[in-house]
């Protein structure tokens, strides 16, 4: 019997019956265990480790390992408080350079894991900074120069949860608790070989379009299942995939009905009020906190978080010139045919599949309800004379190889194509070429607001929630904004900081294969005035 296809079939995410592995929830230690900051100096070691992802499914991967009082954490979920002094030292136990980038946090650039600040094998670096952000769901991951995609894929990423007054009040109102009913859910797609080993082996196509895997994992659990009660749940979703875009919906299993849920927070903290949704795009790097009301369910009923089919708009980019739809499609079909022949069918981007199965287990006496308001989120001040900076996203094909460019440029470590004045308010008008693919654009160090979307493709425009063409996930603070082919998105950024020196951040696509291939620019913040 062919073990590789047997392994693969049991993990096929288009079949809900496969979702039997108990979802890993962040506990007090272990994989994704919650690690609260403390005064003790803490050490994280980046290293290889064998990890059991589910019963009988063990693989070697790369992890951040922490140890304290005889307990061990792998890729800890950091739990900190706004205003805390956060400090952790990274020891590089790998045989290649690495860094830690604190995605979404406002901090001094030297602490931000910029590839220029690489930590060499066998050496250590202490990251130390005050937590300046509002409460919310942030994350951290490696940012090694040209090496981010493989290192993240192999495991080097984790969550960074910030608490504050607002957050505590909201969780109290909802009656949810972190790790029990307030659940961080890291969604990733990965590929395994016949022996169940995690593999990262992008071909030329995957290097230009982004690497996607056949298996869907939540919190490192492949094809996961969660037992739930009849109450409210907060799901803190992070799309921690290298390249896969999700169109998330909640399905009542059996009748296929899509259920409404609420969006309560985006990348950078709580919305003003919960917004009802039925579907939502979530691109790599983005977070979305959902509120699920399961009070009306009966014990034994099942629900599923799933990915709805959508047009990934990859063909728009036309490899090899012309409009090229035909050429590209046939290449993709060829690859697909080869994989089917080899017994490892590939889960296409935009295909329908399941992410998480939920089984209602207990009827709980519970009186929590969806609150009217969540927080008073300060809105970006975009009146007055904010400068508009045009940003273009485009492709260049050379000898059959596609490279993705920002403002016609590729990353050069010692070039500074974006220079902003400290304290300035800017509007970035990001225009994605028609012959392109969706790019989730991410800025380090500062948060932004989405002001407007123009020329959005139908599947996006159809979900717009206001006359500015914005999607529901555009309504809160953001640090990663998806820009579709042909679309123009205006974002507002305020470049204030309290640091003495000039700052050097990055602006890049969060499809990690694109970032590594140079779809990234330095962003320098100059000037003395605060
Ligand atoms: Cu999460 Cu530079 O990115
Ligand atoms: Cu980042
Ligand atoms: Cu991209």
């Amino acid at each position: 019997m062919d073990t590789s296809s047997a392994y693969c079939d049991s993990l096929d995410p288009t079949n809900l019956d496969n979702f039997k592995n108990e979802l890993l929830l962040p506990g007090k230690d272990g994989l994704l265990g919650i690690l609260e900051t403390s005064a003790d100096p803490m050490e994280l070691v980046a290293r290889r480790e064998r990890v059991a992802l589910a019963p009988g499914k063990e693989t070697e991967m790369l992890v951040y390992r922490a140890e304290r009082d005889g307990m061990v954490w792998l890729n800890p979920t950091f739990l900190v408080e706004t205003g805390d002094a956060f400090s952790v030292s990274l020891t590089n136990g790998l045989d290649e350079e690495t860094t830690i980038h604190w995605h979404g946090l406002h901090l001094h650039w030297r602490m931000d894991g910029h590839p220029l600040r690489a930590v060499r094998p066998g050496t250590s670096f202490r990251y130390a900074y005050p937590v300046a952000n509002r409460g919310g769901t942030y994350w951290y991951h490696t940012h090694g120069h040209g090496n981010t995609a493989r290192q993240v894929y192999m495991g080097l990423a984790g969550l960074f949860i910030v608490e504050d007054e607002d957050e505590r009040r909201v969780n109290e109102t909802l009656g949810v608790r972190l790790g029990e009913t307030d659940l961080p859910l890291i969604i990733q797609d990965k590929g395994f070989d016949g022996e169940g080993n995690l593999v990262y082996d992008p071909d030329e196509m995957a290097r230009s379009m982004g690497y996607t895997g056949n298996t869907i994992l939540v919190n490192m659990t492949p094809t996961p299942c969660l037992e739930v009660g009849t109450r409210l749940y907060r799901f803190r979703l992070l799309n921690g995939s290298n390249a896969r875009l999700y169109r998330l919906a909640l399905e009542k299993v059996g009748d296929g009905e899509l259920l409404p849920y609420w969006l309560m927070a985006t990348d950078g903290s709580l919305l003003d009020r919960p917004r009802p949704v039925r579907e939502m795009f979530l691109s790599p790097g983005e977070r979305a906190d959902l509120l699920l009301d399961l009070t009306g369910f009966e014990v034994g009923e099942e629900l599923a978080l799933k990915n709805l089919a959508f047009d990934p708009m990859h063909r728009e980019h036309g490899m090899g010139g012309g409009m090229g739809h035909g050429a590209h499609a046939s290449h993709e079909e060829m690859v697909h045919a080869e994989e089917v022949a080899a017994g490892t069918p590939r889960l296409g981007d935009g295909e329908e599949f399941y992410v998480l199965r939920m089984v209602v287990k207990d009827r709980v006496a519970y009186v929590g309800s969806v609150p009217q308001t969540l927080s008073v989120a300060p809105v970006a001040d975009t009146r007055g004379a904010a400068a508009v900076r045009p940003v273009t996203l485009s492709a260049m094909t050379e000898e059959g190889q596609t490279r993705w460019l920002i403002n016609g440029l590729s990353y050069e470590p010692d070039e500074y194509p974006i220079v902003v004045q400290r304290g300035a308010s800017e509007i970035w008008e990001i225009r994605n070429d028609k012959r392109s693919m969706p790019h989730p654009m991410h800025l380090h160090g500062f948060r932004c607001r989405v002001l407007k979307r123009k020329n959005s493709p139908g599947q996006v425009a159809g979900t717009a929630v206001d006359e500015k063409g914005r999607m529901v996930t555009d309504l809160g603070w953001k640090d990663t904004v998806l820009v579709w082919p042909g679309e123009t998105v205006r974002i507002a950024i305020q470049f204030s900081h309290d640091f003495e020196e000039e700052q050097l951040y990055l602006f890049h696509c969060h499809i990690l294969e694109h970032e590594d291939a140079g779809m990234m620019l330095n962003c320098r913040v100059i000037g003395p005035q605060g």
Side-chain angles (χ1 to χ4, degrees):
M1 183 179 138
D2 177 5
T3 52
S4 99
S5 77
Y7 185 83
C8 207
D9 290 348
S10 74
L11 294 176
D12 174 7
T14 62
N15 181 357
L16 192 60
D17 293 338
N18 285 334
F19 286 68
K20 289 183 190 129
N21 295 315
E22 186 184 340
L23 174 73
L24 175 82
L25 297 178
K28 63 178 200 343
D29 59 2
L31 186 57
L32 309 183
I34 296 171
L35 187 50
E36 294 189 41
T37 38
S38 80
D40 315 338
M42 219 171 11
E43 190 192 20
L44 272 189
V45 184
R47 52 179 255 170
R48 259 173 213 291
E49 181 125 358
R50 280 199 80 77
V51 179
L53 303 181
K57 292 192 171 64
E58 215 184 87
T59 181
E60 186 168 281
M61 53 185 280
L62 305 183
V63 294
Y64 296 113
R65 186 180 201 271
E67 240 184 280
R68 191 164 74 194
D69 308 328
M71 295 200 288
V72 172
W73 289 262
L74 304 179
N75 294 347
T77 299
F78 286 109
L79 180 61
V80 305
E81 173 93 25
T82 302
D84 274 358
F86 179 77
S87 165
V88 66
S89 120
L90 170 68
T91 296
N92 185 354
L94 308 171
D95 48 17
E96 57 190 325
E97 291 187 343
T98 194
T99 69
I100 299 181
H101 165 58
W102 309 92
H103 181 128
L105 296 180
H106 175 67
L107 72 183
H108 194 288
W109 82 276
R110 286 180 193 281
M111 295 299 154
D112 197 35
H114 190 289
L116 287 174
R117 312 284 303 165
V119 181
R120 285 190 306 279
T123 68
S124 297
F125 179 78
R126 178 164 291 279
Y127 295 95
Y129 54 88
V131 177
N133 288 64
R134 293 182 66 194
T137 311
Y138 303 88
W139 65 304
Y140 62 97
H141 58 80
T142 167
H143 222 299
H145 185 48
N147 234 343
T148 301
R150 187 174 43 81
Q151 287 188 358
V152 169
Y153 190 91
M154 293 307 288
L156 292 178
L159 283 165
F160 193 92
I161 294 177
V162 180
E163 290 197 312
D164 63 5
E165 274 306 310
D166 255 13
E167 280 283 341
R168 257 192 300 277
R169 189 179 34 72
V170 164
N171 269 8
E172 223 161 83
T173 311
L174 299 174
V176 297
R177 283 180 58 154
L178 186 65
E180 292 170 14
T181 45
D182 169 357
L183 304 179
L185 300 176
I186 308 173
I187 305 176
Q188 291 170 314
D189 59 332
K190 295 193 187 290
F192 298 89
D193 67 12
E195 272 83 56
N197 293 309
L198 186 56
V199 283
Y200 183 74
D201 58 349
D203 56 11
E204 199 177 289
M205 177 76 155
R207 274 194 297 269
S208 68
M209 309 308 284
Y211 192 74
T212 52
N214 297 331
T215 305
I216 302 298
L217 295 89
V218 180
N219 294 346
M220 295 307 298
T221 310
T223 48
C225 183
L226 172 70
E227 293 184 346
V228 291
T230 54
R231 55 167 4 271
L232 293 182
Y233 282 87
R234 176 178 184 165
F235 280 6
R236 298 176 187 254
L237 305 188
L238 157 67
N239 182 349
S241 311
N242 275 34
R244 189 182 288 276
L245 178 57
Y246 300 85
R247 181 183 171 201
L248 296 169
L250 193 62
E251 181 184 279
K252 183 163 176 199
V253 175
D255 58 11
E257 185 198 345
L258 292 190
L259 304 168
Y261 55 95
W262 280 265
L263 177 70
M264 57 179 284
T266 55
D267 297 350
S269 73
L270 294 165
L271 299 184
D272 54 352
R273 60 188 164 89
R275 307 281 177 151
V277 280
R278 267 175 204 275
E279 62 170 80
M280 183 187 78
F281 283 106
L282 195 69
S283 63
E286 283 189 292
R287 285 87 68 211
D289 289 26
L290 313 185
L291 192 53
L292 266 54
D293 182 355
L294 307 186
T295 52
F297 282 84
E298 298 297 332
V299 171
E301 287 186 311
E302 292 193 14
L303 312 81
L305 186 65
K306 72 184 293 190
N307 181 66
L308 300 177
F310 63 92
D311 179 357
M313 300 191 76
H314 283 184
R315 288 184 292 177
E316 262 51 38
H317 109 80
M319 304 249 291
M323 279 312 282
H325 284 206
H328 180 98
S330 67
H331 180 58
E332 206 161 49
E333 274 158 20
M334 210 179 69
V335 170
H336 187 70
E338 275 170 19
E339 281 169 342
V340 170
T344 54
R346 180 165 168 183
L347 188 68
D349 215 356
E351 230 174 84
E352 181 170 326
F353 57 81
Y354 293 99
V355 173
L356 172 67
R357 175 182 178 192
M358 286 169 268
V359 179
V360 181
K361 208 46 203 278
D362 321 294
R363 165 139 293 281
V364 285
Y366 173 73
V367 287
S369 63
V370 176
Q372 297 279 307
T373 58
L374 292 168
S375 79
V376 188
V379 174
D381 184 6
T382 53
R383 295 158 304 171
V388 177
R389 181 184 297 271
V391 176
T392 59
L393 312 177
S394 63
M396 188 184 70
T397 304
E398 234 178 31
E399 289 157 18
Q401 275 270 44
T402 298
R403 287 212 301 162
W404 299 99
L405 309 172
I406 305 175
N407 287 348
L409 304 168
S410 245
Y411 184 68
E412 291 294 342
D414 48 6
E415 284 175 15
Y416 310 97
I418 303 178
V419 180
V420 281
Q421 192 73 33
R422 175 179 179 183
S425 282
E426 292 203 0
I427 292 172
W428 288 16
E429 186 170 86
I430 311 173
R431 193 172 57 75
N432 193 354
D433 215 58
K434 268 211 184 71
R435 282 176 45 201
S436 183
M437 61 180 283
H439 296 289
M441 301 307 295
H442 168 57
L443 176 67
H444 286 203
F446 300 93
R447 56 188 189 170
C448 68
R449 297 293 294 214
V450 177
L451 301 178
K452 192 179 168 128
R453 284 182 187 269
K454 221 172 61 189
N455 301 333
S456 307
Q459 60 189 358
V460 179
T463 68
V465 292
D466 62 17
E467 72 292 345
K468 294 170 181 135
R470 294 186 294 183
M471 301 188 286
V472 69
T473 48
D474 293 332
L475 299 180
W477 287 100
K478 296 292 293 172
D479 53 57
T480 307
V481 176
L482 182 59
V483 188
W484 291 81
E487 198 181 31
T488 299
V489 181
R490 277 188 165 226
I491 60 172
I493 315 158
Q494 230 269 313
F495 288 94
S496 297
H497 67 75
D498 294 328
F499 314 117
E500 295 293 327
E501 308 87 358
E502 276 187 19
Q503 296 291 306
L504 183 63
Y505 298 101
L506 290 166
F507 176 62
H508 64 83
C509 178
H510 221 287
I511 290 178
L512 300 179
E513 287 75 19
H514 292 182
E515 177 203 314
D516 279 349
M519 194 180 187
M520 173 160 90
L521 298 179
N522 276 321
C523 173
R524 188 168 168 190
V525 184
I526 59 159
Q529 59 278 68

